[in-house]
Amino acid sequence: MIASTPVYRGRFAPSPTGPLHFGSLVAAVGSFLEARTRGGEWLLRMEDVDVPRCSKTAAAEILRTLEACGFAWDGEVVWQSRRNDAYAAALERLKLAGRVFACACTRRELADSAIAPDGAAIYPGTCRQGLAAGRPARAWRLRVGDARIGFDDAIQGRIDSDLAIDAGDFILLRADGLFAYQLAVVVDDAAAGITHVVRGADLLASTARQIFLQQCLGLPTPAYAHLPVAVNASGEKLSKQTRAAPVDAARPGPALFAALEFLGQLPSAELSGASPQELWAWAQAHWRLDRVPHGPLCPQCSTLTGRIIAP
Ligand code: GLU
């Protein structure tokens, strides 16, 4: 019998740079409920491709917290740190197709570059036609040319991007020898057969780059839904850098309740003291993606943020 392609396969892909905080929990809850209420699978991937920034302890803590919250994922956890061969093979294909070029520029040499809406430097094109004599390759970049990418996000609506202005020729293999997030996520989503990506809107600015990369590699493009991003009282995205508090694995109910509320799901106040099991029973019966707010525009990051959560 031929295995049928699933109609829906989603995933949650935390970066283990610290314990699970409320912002990541929101992405886990949204992606999980959308997958399960559509009869889909939900996979878990540890995005530890940036090895020096990640820790095994943080990864173990995230898994423990997800389990304590009552999440159940399909199949084995995928670890990006074990998938270098797949990333190298993808880069090789792009080299053969002439889609990438070696870049010798140092950070200092790029310091005057134009800045993309997400704050990253736009590559000025110095090495695009080949390395200057005697200059060693430091990184590999993807040529974006005049690519324009548009997609319909299930929450944020139509997004159009001119890659030369919004990103420039972006890095796939970094000067420190590590593969870049953009390449890893595209290769991994395709390898896992992901059909739907539900994640935080802080990644909205990356999506056009990822779709372009999928096209360059001949890979399918999943459907996208970008959830509002939780910020602290200073308007900063919750993260390890902004010292977001970890979700309490010993008592995860209140954080789960808050995540459902944050996602516009209107759980009744009586559920505020409920166990994860009771909350999931309610959420699976009542989840509606069309209730998720898209959130106001955050001027600093030009991505979309949700309402303010006290730290
Ligand atoms: N690893 C990324 C993060 O934790 C998420 C990547 C994705 O969902 O595509 O922010």
Side-chain angles (χ1 to χ4, degrees):
M1 205 173 78
I2 298 167
S4 61
T5 318
V7 180
Y8 192 111
R9 187 179 279 159
R11 60 20 166 222
F12 174 53
S15 300
T17 54
L20 192 82
H21 56 71
F22 184 75
S24 319
L25 181 68
V26 165
V29 168
S31 59
F32 179 75
L33 285 171
E34 185 60 8
R36 291 296 189 230
T37 56
R38 292 177 64 168
E41 297 174 0
W42 186 72
L43 277 50
L44 187 60
R45 179 170 76 229
M46 275 295 162
E47 298 216 310
D48 56 350
V49 66
D50 192 348
V51 177
R53 287 187 58 230
C54 296
S55 90
K56 289 252 174 311
T57 316
E61 233 176 290
I62 290 174
L63 293 175
R64 189 173 63 90
T65 308
L66 289 173
E67 273 167 6
C69 285
F71 287 99
W73 49 89
D74 295 296
E76 299 284 314
V77 177
V78 170
W79 297 80
Q80 285 189 329
S81 54
R82 300 177 193 165
R83 291 189 39 78
N84 269 351
D85 290 353
Y87 310 145
L91 183 62
E92 210 45 48
R93 279 168 58 199
L94 294 167
K95 283 184 189 173
L96 288 174
R99 293 282 197 166
V100 289
F101 61 91
C103 176
C105 299
T106 61
R107 204 177 279 261
R108 185 140 32 96
E109 284 167 328
L110 297 175
D112 299 336
S113 305
I115 299 297
D118 70 352
I122 297 200
Y123 187 64
T126 323
C127 304
R128 204 179 280 141
Q129 308 308 333
L131 294 174
R135 303 257 354 230
R138 290 167 51 82
W140 283 83
R141 291 178 182 272
L142 186 69
R143 297 175 200 281
V144 300
D146 56 4
R148 284 162 200 269
I149 299 289
F151 63 99
D152 292 302
D153 187 276
I155 298 169
Q156 309 297 342
R158 181 77 190 165
I159 308 285
D160 285 300
S161 172
D162 180 337
L163 281 183
I165 294 171
D166 293 339
D169 295 336
F170 55 96
I171 289 191
L172 300 184
L173 181 63
R174 304 174 358 177
D176 60 5
L178 294 172
F179 288 100
Y181 157 71
Q182 307 291 357
L183 181 66
V185 76
V186 163
V187 169
D188 289 344
D189 279 343
I194 299 300
T195 60
H196 291 74
V197 172
V198 179
R199 61 185 178 188
D202 51 318
L203 291 159
L204 198 51
S206 288
T207 305
R209 264 172 278 179
Q210 292 172 15
I211 293 175
F212 180 61
L213 199 39
Q214 288 154 7
Q215 294 174 355
C216 293
L217 286 163
L219 300 173
T221 292
Y224 288 95
H226 285 85
L227 304 166
V229 172
V231 296
N232 65 21
S234 317
E236 301 159 325
K237 179 175 106 87
L238 301 187
S239 67
K240 189 182 166 204
Q241 289 72 29
T242 58
R243 296 199 197 145
V247 171
D248 183 358
R251 202 172 156 262
L256 279 174
F257 179 86
L260 290 168
E261 271 205 315
F262 181 81
L263 289 168
Q265 301 302 307
L266 314 172
S268 72
E270 288 147 41
L271 284 169
S272 64
S275 67
Q277 217 177 2
E278 290 166 316
L279 284 165
W280 287 126
W282 180 89
Q284 301 227 22
H286 294 91
W287 169 256
R288 278 180 45 187
L289 190 71
D290 63 357
R291 288 217 172 109
V292 175
H294 48 77
L297 195 69
C298 156
Q300 297 90 350
C301 52
S302 89
T303 58
L304 301 145
T305 62
R307 68 190 156 78
I308 288 173
I309 292 286

